[in-house]
Amino acid sequence: MLGRVHSWFQKQFQNLIDMRFLMILVFFSTTTAWSQDLETHQWKERVLILKGGSEDYELVEKQFNQIRKFEKELLERKLVLYKCVAAKCTYYDFKEKPRFFKIEKPITIFSLELIGLDGGKKFESKTIENAKTIFDLIDSMPMRRSEAKRTKND
C-alpha cells in the first residue's frame, strides 16, 4: 500500500514539474526572438528601445527624431536603437544603414526602454523623454563613468 501511495505522489510531482516546464517554455518562446537580438549587444552596446502600437506611430517618431539628432553622443555612449511600431522594427547603430525586421507579437503600448551593457533594464518610460535625460542617466552609470575616465586619460 505504501509503495502505491509513494508511486502516486511521485507521478503527481512529475506531472507538476512537466506543467511548470511547459509554462516556462511557452513564456520564453514568445520572447525568444526579441531577447536573442538583445543578447548580441550585451557587454558591447547599450540599447534604447522605442516602441508602440500602430496608433502610437507619431509618438515613436517624435521620440526617435528627438534622439537621432545626437548621433555623436549616441556613438560616444555605445548606444544602439531599436524603433518598433506594431510588428515592424528598425535597428540603428548609427554607423551603417538601418536594418528592418518583423517581430511575431505586435507591440500595443508606447514605451521607451534603456538596456545597459550588462543586459539589464535601466530605465523605462511611457512618455516621451528628452535626449538629455537619457544621456544624463547613462552618464551617471558606473560603467559609463569608467569609460569616460579612460577616454579622458587617452
Side-chain angles (χ1 to χ4, degrees):
M1 172 87 170
L2 188 58
R4 273 191 280 172
V5 171
H6 177 70
S7 178
W8 181 83
F9 276 113
Q10 204 172 18
K11 192 174 193 177
Q12 295 305 314
F13 182 71
Q14 186 61 46
N15 287 341
L16 180 63
I17 290 174
D18 291 345
M19 191 59 111
R20 282 188 178 168
F21 177 74
L22 181 62
M23 288 171 35
I24 291 169
L25 185 64
V26 168
F27 171 76
F28 282 115
S29 68
T30 60
T31 58
T32 300
W34 187 255
S35 64
Q36 282 176 340
D37 279 344
L38 294 180
E39 285 175 9
T40 63
H41 301 291
Q42 192 169 9
W43 304 117
K44 295 182 221 159
E45 298 142 334
R46 293 171 183 89
V47 179
L48 190 61
I49 304 168
L50 309 177
K51 59 185 180 176
S54 52
E55 65 280 353
D56 300 313
Y57 175 80
E58 288 181 19
L59 282 173
V60 173
E61 282 300 308
K62 186 174 181 179
Q63 181 70 76
F64 175 70
N65 289 329
Q66 188 177 58
I67 290 171
R68 80 176 203 184
K69 292 186 272 185
F70 299 97
E71 192 171 307
K72 179 182 174 237
E73 289 83 352
L74 293 166
L75 289 167
E76 283 174 4
R77 289 167 179 83
K78 300 181 189 176
L79 193 60
V80 297
L81 190 140
Y82 285 87
K83 179 179 76 169
C84 299
V85 176
K88 296 177 183 176
C89 295
T90 310
Y91 166 74
Y92 300 86
D93 66 3
F94 305 100
K95 298 174 193 170
E96 298 175 14
K97 286 186 174 188
R99 290 190 311 226
F100 304 94
F101 64 97
K102 289 187 177 189
I103 54 175
E104 289 179 30
K105 188 177 178 187
I107 296 162
T108 57
I109 298 171
F110 174 80
S111 73
L112 173 147
E113 293 178 22
L114 175 63
I115 310 296
L117 287 173
D118 63 359
K121 189 187 291 186
K122 305 300 181 188
F123 178 74
E124 182 174 10
S125 177
K126 303 289 185 201
T127 60
I128 292 178
E129 297 292 336
N130 186 311
K132 183 176 176 357
T133 302
I134 296 164
F135 295 145
D136 287 348
L137 178 65
I138 292 170
D139 291 345
S140 72
M141 295 176 183
M143 286 183 151
R144 173 63 184 149
R145 287 189 300 213
S146 177
E147 289 170 0
K149 214 181 262 185
R150 278 195 306 265
T151 304
K152 198 179 209 182
N153 291 337
D154 288 344

